[in-house]
């Protein structure tokens, strides 16, 4: 009898439909998992809405995450859900401040795994300096876990996808293709050391702040406040997709140099075997930054000092054409067409 009780106590708990009932089981799940790990003054008030002190312009964004597998080399769906929204806020020149998160959880999902993912979210939010101030939980009969995050930030600079000017330089903040290669490796059962690059690029928000606080001074270098014209995180569809969006919105062309595209050797090898191109592959911790030509080297220096951006490099420039052109290793020119459809579903 004793043995039986012990076994029952040790049995791993799974999510049941009652956890989504809105009753005591839901309250217990919220207290034991979400409040416990996300705790902050605003969330713990447990009001129907978070009340936030904001002044001036705010940036507001939302994203849903359905990645498969939920945990992979370098990250998990929770880390992805925080980083994706944080990086989208930074992309418009904002300092991320508050997130909300909605969890849609399949019946039978392990509570232990859920807690692991929630802890990962909490740690990433701390690193990014954001508070998770509101949330929601639903339980459905379908298997799996899906997370939506929305985020709000203070706008401190007026960068825009429509702002890139002819002659400006294009910085990519690090090696391309790692997130997609990591997910593909997990799905295909390929053993390697490729880690997803998923990361909150919060160091880049500091560039705006430094420009704002001392308009002509970044690390003792004279830089104009408007030196940075565009920022966009390089996610699904990869670098080429972002460049096409930029060309359309800023009414320009782009020339990039194949020899300057940063890719680590392991991803390069992985792509060679599978016939993939890193410039079309998804990343979750990389930013494209367009900088006025005369400040490009100084901004690059600053970017390289930001966490996760040490391999940042200038990959090309804005032209007065309308195409995205790649100067190949042997000196030829190739027009890069946009990605027609995503070859790999549920990558983020
Ligand atoms: Mg984005």
């Amino acid at each position: 009898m004793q043995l039986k009780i012990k076994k029952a106590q040790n049995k791993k708990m799974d999510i049941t439909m009652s956890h989504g009932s809105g009753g005591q089981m839901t309250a217990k799940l919220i207290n034991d998992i979400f409040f416990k790990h996300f705790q902050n003054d605003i969330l713990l008030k447990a009001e129907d809405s978070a009340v936030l002190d904001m002044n001036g312009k705010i940036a507001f964004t939302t994203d849903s995450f359905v990645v498969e597998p939920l945990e992979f080399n370098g990250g998990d769906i929770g880390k992805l859900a925080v980083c994706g929204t944080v990086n989208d806020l930074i992309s418009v020149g904002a300092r991320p401040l508050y997130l909300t998160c909605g969890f849609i959880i399949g019946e039978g999902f392990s509570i232990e795994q859920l807690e692991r993912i929630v802890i990962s979210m909490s740690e990433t939010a701390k690193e990014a300096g954001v508070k998770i101030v509101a949330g929601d939980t639903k339980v459905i009969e379908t298997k799996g876990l899906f997370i939506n995050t929305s985020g709000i930030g203070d706008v401190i600079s007026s960068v825009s996808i429509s702002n890139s000017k002819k002659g400006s330089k294009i910085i990519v903040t690090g090696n391309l293709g790692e997130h997609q290669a990591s997910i593909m490796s997990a799905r295909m059962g390929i053993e390697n050391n490729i880690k997803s690059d998923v990361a909150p690029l919060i160091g880049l928000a500091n560039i705006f702040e430094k420009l704002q606080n001392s308009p002509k001074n970044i690390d003792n270098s004279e830089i104009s406040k408007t030196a940075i014209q565009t920022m966009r995180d390089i996610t699904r569809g990869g670098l080429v997709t972002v460049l096409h969006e930029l060309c359309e919105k800023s009414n320009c062309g782009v020339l990039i140099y194949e020899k300057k595209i940063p890719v680590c050797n392991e991803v390069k090898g992985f792509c060679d075997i599978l016939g993939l191109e890193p410039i079309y592959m998804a990343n979750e911790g990389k930013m494209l930054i367009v900088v006025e030509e005369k400040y490009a080297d100084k901004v690059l220096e600053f970017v390289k000092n930001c966490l996760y951006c040490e391999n940042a490099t200038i990959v090309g420039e804005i032209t007065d054409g309308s195409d995205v052109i790649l100067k190949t290793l042997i000196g030829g020119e190739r027009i890069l067409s946009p990605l027609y459809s995503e070859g790999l579903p549920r990558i983020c």
Side-chain angles (χ1 to χ4, degrees):
M1 188 63 177
Q2 257 186 347
L3 188 72
K4 258 188 189 167
I5 291 168
K6 214 170 179 185
K7 259 190 181 165
Q9 280 171 345
N10 284 343
K11 187 177 177 283
K12 296 233 163 62
M13 287 285 290
D14 289 338
I15 294 287
T16 64
M17 291 310 282
S18 313
H19 285 109
S21 66
Q24 279 185 15
M25 290 287 274
T26 309
K28 186 170 161 45
L29 181 72
I30 289 172
N31 280 315
D32 293 357
I33 306 284
F34 300 116
F35 279 8
K36 179 179 167 192
H37 296 294
F38 293 158
Q39 55 177 296
N40 59 67
D41 46 343
I42 303 169
L43 181 70
L44 293 185
K45 279 186 181 158
E47 302 280 6
D48 268 353
S49 298
V51 178
L52 310 173
D53 250 330
M54 306 287 296
N55 38 42
K57 254 191 190 176
I58 63 162
F60 187 20
T61 188
T62 190
D63 209 342
S64 299
F65 297 85
V66 299
V67 68
E68 175 62 40
L70 295 170
E71 294 171 289
F72 45 83
N73 196 1
D76 55 71
I77 188 171
K79 187 174 184 183
L80 207 57
V82 172
C83 293
T85 293
V86 159
N87 291 342
D88 274 349
L89 290 169
I90 295 168
S91 296
V92 294
R95 159 145 326 260
L97 294 174
Y98 302 109
L99 300 188
T100 69
C101 56
F103 289 84
I104 297 173
I105 314 169
E107 186 182 13
F109 195 84
S110 145
I111 292 183
E112 193 187 349
Q113 188 180 15
L114 178 66
E115 185 165 24
R116 210 159 57 227
I117 288 165
V118 167
I119 290 171
S120 164
M121 288 181 84
S122 151
E123 284 169 354
T124 312
K126 268 188 204 120
E127 184 186 346
V130 295
K131 287 180 176 175
I132 295 171
V133 294
D136 177 56
T137 311
K138 294 285 185 298
V139 178
I140 56 171
E141 295 93 338
T142 312
K143 288 215 174 313
L145 172 69
F146 312 97
I147 302 177
N148 171 275
T149 50
S150 295
I152 282 186
D154 254 339
V155 176
I156 44 185
S157 180
S158 58
V159 294
S160 158
I161 192 77
S162 308
N163 252 1
S164 292
K165 309 277 187 309
K166 189 197 156 195
S168 295
K169 296 290 181 188
I170 299 165
I171 295 173
V172 164
T173 61
N175 298 339
L176 297 180
E178 287 161 11
H179 178 68
Q180 183 157 344
S182 151
I183 298 290
M184 286 184 81
S185 303
R187 293 245 197 105
M188 297 163 82
I190 301 172
E191 272 186 42
N192 56 35
N193 296 316
I194 301 172
K195 275 189 178 173
S196 164
D197 63 337
V198 57
L201 299 174
I202 203 70
L204 297 176
N206 296 335
I207 296 183
F208 301 124
E209 227 139 63
K210 291 208 174 191
L211 282 172
Q212 192 71 15
N213 294 338
S214 45
K216 290 229 165 207
N217 199 304
I218 282 188
D219 294 354
N220 299 321
S221 314
E222 296 254 309
I223 297 185
S224 153
K225 235 172 157 177
T226 54
I228 298 172
Q229 298 166 346
T230 298
M231 269 206 192
R232 182 159 282 203
D233 56 341
I234 310 168
T235 51
R236 255 183 317 179
L239 176 65
V240 177
T241 299
V242 173
L243 291 175
H244 273 279
E245 290 163 354
L246 186 151
C247 288
E248 194 194 320
K249 292 290 178 194
S250 287
N251 226 338
C252 64
V254 154
L255 179 66
I256 56 169
Y257 300 89
E258 190 172 9
K259 65 172 182 218
K260 294 189 178 169
I261 306 290
V263 185
C264 76
N265 285 335
E266 195 142 26
V267 170
K268 213 174 268 175
F270 180 85
C271 289
D272 285 347
I273 292 168
L274 293 171
L276 297 164
E277 288 191 276
I279 51 175
Y280 283 97
M281 287 166 71
N283 312 271
E284 290 292 342
K286 296 292 144 50
M287 194 73 83
L288 172 133
I289 308 173
V290 179
V291 188
E292 197 179 336
E293 188 185 5
K294 63 177 167 180
Y295 301 117
D297 289 335
K298 283 174 184 168
V299 170
L300 176 65
E301 216 175 285
F302 187 87
V303 169
K304 282 167 88 94
N305 283 321
C306 295
L307 192 58
Y308 311 115
C309 300
E310 57 279 2
N311 294 319
T313 183
I314 295 172
V315 299
E317 59 253 352
I318 307 294
T319 68
D320 57 2
S322 57
D323 290 322
V324 176
I325 294 172
L326 178 78
K327 182 78 106 178
T328 65
L329 292 175
I330 52 165
E333 285 191 355
R334 176 182 151 209
I335 295 179
L336 299 171
S337 46
L339 192 66
Y340 183 66
S341 72
E342 181 52 73
L344 191 67
R346 295 187 64 179
I347 196 160
C348 59

